[in-house]
Amino acid sequence: MKKMPNVDFDIDLFLRLFSDAVRSKRQELSLTQGKLINFLKACDIKVSQAYLSQLEAGQRKDPSARIVIALSAILEIQLDHIIKEASRQYG
C-alpha cells in the first residue's frame, strides 16, 4: 500500500511560497502584471493590478482556489512542489 504523503502545513506559509512563485515565474517569463491580468481575463477571472501586486507581495491571504489554479496553469507553477515545501518547512 502506498504511503500517504505528509500534507500538514501552515496556510500562511503556503500562500507566502505561492506568492513568491507567482512573482518569480512571471518575471522569469518576462510578463508584466498587466499581461498576466490579460491572461487571467481570458480565463474569465478579473483581478486588478493592485490585487495582483498585493498577491505577489504576500499581502493577500484570501486568493480563491480558482485564482490559485489559474495562476498555476498560466505560469506553470507546480502546486505539489509548493505543498511539499510548505510541509517540509512546517514540520
Side-chain angles (χ1 to χ4, degrees), residues 1 3 5 11 19 21 25 31 44 49-52 61-62 67-68 75 82:
M1 183 174 239
K3 182 181 174 191
I11 191 66
S19 295
K25 286 293 282 187
L31 292 174
D44 201 28
Q49 187 164 355
Y51 179 93
L52 183 57
K61 303 297 182 192
D62 62 346
I67 289 173
V68 170
L75 298 172
I82 294 174

Side-chain angles (χ1 to χ4, degrees), residues 24-88:
S24 66
K25 286 293 282 187
R26 180 184 61 76
Q27 291 171 343
E28 179 184 314
L29 296 169
S30 299
L31 292 174
T32 64
Q33 287 181 340
K35 185 70 171 173
L36 182 53
I37 288 168
N38 287 337
F39 283 129
L40 289 168
K41 284 181 185 174
C43 298
D44 201 28
I45 297 173
K46 295 181 176 106
V47 298
S48 67
Q49 187 164 355
Y51 179 93
L52 183 57
S53 180
Q54 291 170 349
L55 185 112
E56 287 185 353
Q59 298 170 344
R60 296 302 301 217
K61 303 297 182 192
D62 62 346
S64 70
R66 189 164 185 230
I67 289 173
V68 170
I69 292 167
L71 286 169
S72 297
I74 292 165
L75 298 172
E76 298 180 346
I77 294 171
Q78 296 184 358
L79 289 177
D80 61 326
H81 290 170
I82 294 174
I83 291 168
K84 286 177 187 174
E85 180 61 19
S87 182
R88 187 190 68 75

